[in-house]
Amino acid sequence: MNRVFVLIGLAFSNALRGIRSASTTSLMAVLTIAIVLVLVGGAALLVHNMSSILDEFGTELQLTAYLEEGLSEAEQRDLVERVAAAPGVERVELVTKEMALERFVEIAGSEALLAGLEENPLPASLEIQLRPEARTAEAIGILEASLDGLPGIDDFAQGREWIEGYARAVSMVRIGVVAIAIVLGMAALLIVANTIRLALYARQDELEILALVGASRTFVRVPFLLEGTLQGLLGGALALFVVWGAFEWLQPQLREGLELVVGRAELHFFTTAEALWLVVSGAALGLAGSIMALVGGRT
Amino acid sequence: MRRRAANATGEPPVRMYHVSKSYMAGQYALHDVSLEVRRGEFVFLTGASGAGKTTLLELIFAAEEPSEGQILVLGRNVARLGASAIPALRRHVGVVFQDFKLLEDRTVEENVRLALDVIGTPRRDARSRVFGLLKSVGLQHRRFHHPRSLSGGEQQRVALARALVNEPEILLADEPTGNLDPDLTIEIMDLIVKASTRGTTVMVATHDHSLIERYGKRVLRLDGGRIVEDVPAMGAALGGGP
């Protein structure tokens, strides 16, 4: 057992010696992994936040049905009851023409905009609150279709299309991030493999001497695997630090911009587990690169 | 003492039966060589450059595979050794080269310790054994120096210490004094001979006839890849041991 610990210790010290003796190429490998993971991690963080904004929309999602002009109070009340009975509907609130006007004036801050109009141009509407499970663009579409035939309903607010478009954009960006991660990951893999291969050639004399004194293949190979893994780990940690720095730096401006566009926005950094994943991805890239180098190398 | 299993039965540690090595069809580096080397025996391999001395040594420590014939080293058939079994064999065979083969970025102590590191010898044990070995070759005071700050003779003594630190059953030396002046040559050869008196089987390739005459050991003379002469040790000729 003691020998196993000695061999593990030696593997680590040989790996560190390898990194020190080829510090420039090691640094290049670390930076390559860091750059790749900054790009992939940054994009993942973007998708992560886009998705959470989408989720927030979902919780506030309601459907607005505009009513035809000239409906009597009884007809309006009848519509409220019929809509409330539709699947996925939690609550229905009638907003009369007068209430709509009051809201408009409240939002606009004055009645000046309506000064030239002889009558209230705002339609009465039904604000339909949805049950949590029905707060998706698809469910709203189904509900819309079922309510569309009801007499008295003129039109629906266009929120659904906007949300659908946004959800499509999120899913496209997500696919894009995965594609970029694969391409950049492959590039990083090749660069790490090349770095380790260069280290193998640079240390050919050492490998020859190790073989002469009876070093097993494992004894020779493990330090190289550790070297790649350590480089990856460093690259991952560096990437996490850069992504975090950029996030902290950009967050105030981004939040301000988002508040203008979507009303309010909470931006989130990675959770601890997600942040660890980024660092572990770096280590995995480094390890995979080393394996590639050793499979093709002469050890 | 460690690992003497193969020889406990009295089997010769090195046996070759009709061994040939060819790198190109029809051209032999070694041709139909058969020999036995007994435990603790000291053998000089001599012959002109290209006679096959280095090839013969390389076959014994499994750096090369024979094209024909059988080689038994410490009871193991070298021709049939898998890649994973070669390191285990080499831990019983110390090798010394003309060009020392030391790692420039490691100290004398670290260079000697390599042979112990590969088998996971705990650091404290390794250090004390390395110190003992370096003391026996007169270099204990240089253990923290790097090879480039040592003379050729000192570097070869370090290489010899590395080859012996694992207490090998066989020591192979390929022109170990080829780069050294006459005084240092004798110094190194005395150390190698001393190893053989402790029971290590030693094979030294050299074309320095003065050494062969000085030590009076068994001599295998090679020419064109064949053993053309096998001269027993002087003591043996007179009825003594190796």
Side-chain angles (χ1 to χ4, degrees):
Chain A
M1 203 57 192
N2 197 9
R3 283 180 190 269
V4 174
F5 287 125
V6 171
L7 288 170
I8 292 170
L10 280 169
F12 272 101
S13 76
N14 285 342
L16 292 174
R17 190 197 297 273
I19 290 176
R20 273 203 306 273
S21 69
S23 50
T24 312
T25 43
S26 295
L27 184 67
M28 291 306 291
V30 170
L31 289 178
T32 306
I33 291 177
I35 290 168
V36 166
L37 289 178
V38 163
L39 293 172
V40 173
L45 194 59
L46 178 73
V47 171
H48 177 70
N49 276 289
M50 284 175 84
S51 300
S52 68
I53 289 171
L54 188 67
D55 292 342
E56 278 176 32
F57 283 151
T59 60
E60 292 170 1
L61 209 55
Q62 64 173 27
L63 184 61
T64 303
Y66 295 109
L67 304 183
E68 288 171 1
E69 289 291 326
L71 290 182
S72 67
E73 267 186 44
E75 284 170 322
Q76 286 179 349
R77 272 199 303 277
D78 181 49
L79 256 179
V80 167
E81 277 169 27
R82 293 173 72 173
V83 170
V89 174
E90 190 170 73
R91 193 164 57 83
V92 180
E93 192 187 341
L94 174 66
V95 180
T96 61
K97 285 174 73 73
E98 293 70 31
M99 286 161 76
L101 183 66
E102 273 169 35
R103 283 186 187 178
F104 181 83
V105 171
E106 198 177 312
I107 292 165
S110 95
E111 288 183 51
L113 282 169
L114 303 168
L117 299 170
E118 288 179 1
E119 60 180 59
N120 179 0
L122 300 173
S125 62
L126 299 180
E127 282 181 356
I128 306 165
Q129 301 291 327
L130 302 163
R131 290 199 182 120
E133 68 274 12
R135 287 171 189 162
T136 64
E138 293 76 18
I140 293 171
I142 294 166
L143 180 62
E144 248 187 56
S146 73
L147 300 180
D148 208 17
L150 288 178
I153 289 180
D154 184 34
D155 198 6
F156 296 95
Q158 295 302 303
R160 185 173 71 87
E161 282 80 1
W162 195 89
I163 288 168
E164 273 181 341
Y166 184 81
R168 263 200 306 275
V170 172
S171 101
M172 279 174 69
V173 172
R174 188 173 285 146
I175 291 167
V177 168
V178 172
I180 289 169
I182 290 171
V183 173
L184 293 181
M186 293 294 287
L189 209 61
L190 291 175
I191 290 170
V192 174
N194 220 29
T195 308
I196 299 290
R197 208 167 283 147
L198 282 175
L200 278 171
Y201 286 125
R203 282 148 65 188
Q204 207 62 48
D205 287 349
E206 181 184 339
L207 300 185
E208 190 189 334
I209 291 166
L210 282 172
L212 274 178
V213 297
S216 64
R217 288 181 107 195
T218 309
F219 185 92
V220 173
R221 287 174 170 225
V222 167
F224 287 100
L225 297 178
L226 281 175
E227 199 173 318
T229 309
L230 284 174
Q231 287 168 354
L233 210 58
L234 281 175
L238 183 61
L240 180 65
F241 181 72
V242 170
V243 172
W244 174 79
F247 177 80
E248 288 297 315
W249 185 52
L250 291 172
Q251 195 188 184
Q253 292 98 303
L254 278 174
R255 184 178 282 154
E256 213 169 273
L258 278 167
E259 274 171 4
L260 275 177
V261 179
V262 295
R264 69 186 175 84
E266 272 302 310
L267 293 175
H268 307 280
F269 191 63
F270 293 128
T271 61
T272 309
E274 288 164 342
L276 275 176
W277 262 111
L278 193 69
V279 179
V280 170
S281 306
L285 262 180
L287 176 64
S290 314
I291 291 170
M292 270 177 72
L294 289 174
V295 166
R298 290 161 54 212
T299 56
Chain B
M1 290 297 277
R2 305 165 60 245
R3 300 183 308 256
R4 299 285 178 195
N7 295 321
T9 57
E11 276 181 31
V14 178
R15 283 177 286 174
M16 290 187 164
Y17 301 105
H18 305 291
V19 171
S20 295
K21 177 67 186 177
S22 166
Y23 296 99
M24 279 194 295
Q27 291 192 344
Y28 288 96
L30 217 55
H31 198 204
D32 196 25
V33 168
S34 295
L35 65 89
E36 277 190 4
V37 181
R38 284 172 288 126
R39 184 187 170 207
E41 194 174 13
F42 189 116
V43 179
F44 279 117
L45 299 172
T46 189
S49 292
K53 305 186 293 289
T54 298
T55 302
L56 196 148
L57 293 181
E58 284 175 344
L59 287 167
I60 293 172
F61 69 92
E64 295 288 348
E65 283 179 30
S67 309
E68 293 162 35
Q70 302 294 325
I71 305 172
L72 291 171
V73 177
L74 302 170
R76 298 169 173 93
N77 188 339
V78 173
R80 289 195 194 149
L81 277 185
S84 59
I86 290 174
L89 173 73
R90 287 183 181 165
R91 290 169 198 169
H92 299 264
V93 181
V95 190
V96 178
F97 296 90
Q98 182 175 356
D99 60 355
F100 321 134
K101 294 201 188 297
L102 298 176
L103 291 171
E104 296 292 330
D105 64 338
R106 310 224 182 164
T107 63
V108 164
E109 183 186 271
E110 287 169 334
N111 266 286
V112 177
R113 217 179 57 211
L114 268 185
L116 297 172
D117 283 348
V118 300
I119 52 170
T121 307
R123 184 61 53 95
R124 189 178 291 183
D125 287 4
R127 280 207 164 139
S128 78
R129 280 168 66 180
V130 169
F131 185 83
L133 236 306
L134 285 174
K135 199 171 172 191
S136 74
V137 297
L139 281 178
Q140 74 277 17
H141 60 295
R142 302 282 252 161
R143 64 188 184 281
F144 300 125
H145 287 71
H146 282 82
R148 74 178 74 85
S149 69
L150 306 182
S151 68
E154 286 174 324
Q155 290 192 48
Q156 193 58 296
R157 279 191 275 161
V158 175
L160 186 59
R162 184 184 63 201
L164 293 174
V165 73
N166 219 3
E167 297 174 13
E169 290 169 68
I170 300 170
L171 175 66
L172 306 175
D174 191 1
E175 303 282 2
T177 57
N179 283 343
L180 305 178
D181 61 40
D183 287 347
L184 293 174
T185 295
I186 300 304
E187 196 177 280
I188 293 296
M189 283 308 301
D190 283 349
L191 289 168
I192 295 175
V193 170
K194 203 169 142 191
S196 83
T197 59
R198 288 193 297 256
T200 303
T201 304
V202 178
M203 296 177 79
V204 177
T206 183
H207 47 250
D208 185 341
H209 286 281
S210 68
L211 286 182
I212 294 166
E213 282 164 21
R214 180 185 175 97
Y215 289 97
K217 302 289 184 184
R218 180 182 171 190
V219 180
L220 293 171
R221 195 159 69 80
L222 288 112
D223 188 16
R226 292 176 187 271
I227 293 179
V228 292
E229 198 175 10
D230 185 351
V231 182
M234 280 166 92
L238 298 170

